[in-house]
């Protein structure tokens, strides 16, 4: 079986949308400080680009949580592989994710971070896949809505491949003839 990528969003389209999200977040948090919590590994590219464009004070931290393993569909069980390095008590937190599909991971992390004393929690995702949602969760900041397809690039992977693509594409698996 071979893999083929159909381009969905170009590097320029992504950069433009990240600029727009940064402007919106900067307006919403005027006069405040933000702690951005990036969900490893997929959100790294997006979060770094976003943080550079936000005009209010930003600090960053990372968590690693997974419900995928090496599969293309969520297992339904969220596991925390890496917890925060710094306290978020009384902090305004934005959880930054690469893609929200079922919503289980973000809902779980939101509750987890609330239990650690965050002042507020909002969700920011580059891609939103509402057709896959199984929990009642809506991102406060969403880059693009996408159909129920498996996407790679700009940090998103398939079995650790394709993260470094500067664009986002749909991964297709073709039967070799």
């Amino acid at each position: 079986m071979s893999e083929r990528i159909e381009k969905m969003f170009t590097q320029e389209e992504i950069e433009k949308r990240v600029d727009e999200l940064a402007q919106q977040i900067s307006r919403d948090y005027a006069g405040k400080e933000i702690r951005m919590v990036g969900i490893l590994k997929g959100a790294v590219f997006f979060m770094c680009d976003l943080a550079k464009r936000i005009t209010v004070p930003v600090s960053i931290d990372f968590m690693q949580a997974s419900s995928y393993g090496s599969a293309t569909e969520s297992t339904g069980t969220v596991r925390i592989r890496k917890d925060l390095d710094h306290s978020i008590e009384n902090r305004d937190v934005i959880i930054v994710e690469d893609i929200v599909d079922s919503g289980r991971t973000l809902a779980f992390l939101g509750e987890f971070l609330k239990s650690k004393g965050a002042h507020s929690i909002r969700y920011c995702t580059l891609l939103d896949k509402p057709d896959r949602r199984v929990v009642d969760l809506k991102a406060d900041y969403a880059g693009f809505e996408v159909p129920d397809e498996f996407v790679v690039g700009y940090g998103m992977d398939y079995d650790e491949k394709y993260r470094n693509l500067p664009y986002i594409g749909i991964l297709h698996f073709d039967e070799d003839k």
Side-chain angles (χ1 to χ4, degrees):
M1 189 172 318
S2 61
E3 298 166 8
R4 172 177 56 85
I5 300 171
E6 173 189 352
K7 199 176 282 189
M8 181 179 267
F9 300 109
T10 65
Q11 183 174 354
E12 294 76 21
E13 290 171 316
I14 295 166
E15 288 173 2
K16 180 178 185 286
R17 188 64 185 125
V18 172
D19 281 340
E20 293 167 354
L21 290 171
Q23 290 170 16
Q24 183 181 357
I25 290 168
S26 296
R27 282 190 304 272
D28 290 352
Y29 285 90
K32 297 181 181 179
E33 294 183 21
I34 304 168
R35 170 73 51 88
M36 295 176 76
V37 175
I39 307 307
L40 296 172
K41 300 177 185 170
V44 170
F45 290 65
F46 173 48
M47 186 167 111
C48 289
D49 285 348
L50 184 63
K52 288 187 288 187
R53 292 168 168 89
I54 292 174
T55 58
V56 299
V58 174
S59 61
I60 63 172
D61 206 342
F62 293 95
M63 293 185 74
Q64 187 172 24
S66 177
S67 63
Y68 277 85
S70 62
T72 59
E73 294 209 15
S74 173
T75 63
T77 302
V78 178
R79 291 185 355 206
I80 293 180
R81 293 178 168 179
K82 182 206 173 302
D83 201 347
L84 297 171
D85 292 328
H86 305 284
S87 171
I88 57 164
E89 193 167 342
N90 297 318
R91 303 293 303 255
D92 291 311
V93 175
I94 298 177
I95 302 174
V96 181
E97 182 66 287
D98 55 356
I99 186 167
V100 179
D101 50 27
S102 73
R104 285 186 189 108
T105 300
L106 271 190
F108 177 87
L109 292 175
E111 291 303 314
F112 181 77
L113 295 181
K114 282 179 192 170
S115 76
K116 289 186 172 259
H119 175 259
S120 69
I121 294 182
R122 289 194 178 167
Y123 304 101
C124 180
T125 186
L126 178 61
L127 302 180
D128 188 13
K129 198 186 283 188
D131 291 345
R132 295 283 305 255
R133 199 78 80 245
V134 297
V135 297
D136 185 21
L137 183 132
K138 182 174 180 349
D140 299 283
Y141 307 100
F144 302 98
E145 188 171 302
V146 295
D148 187 10
E149 299 282 355
F150 194 85
V151 294
V152 295
Y154 196 67
M156 292 167 281
D157 74 306
Y158 168 67
D159 204 19
E160 294 299 324
K161 296 186 293 188
Y162 308 118
R163 285 190 198 280
N164 62 319
L165 297 175
Y167 60 87
I168 297 170
I170 300 169
L171 181 62
H172 296 282
F173 298 93
D174 297 324
E175 295 292 327
D176 290 331
K177 303 214 185 275

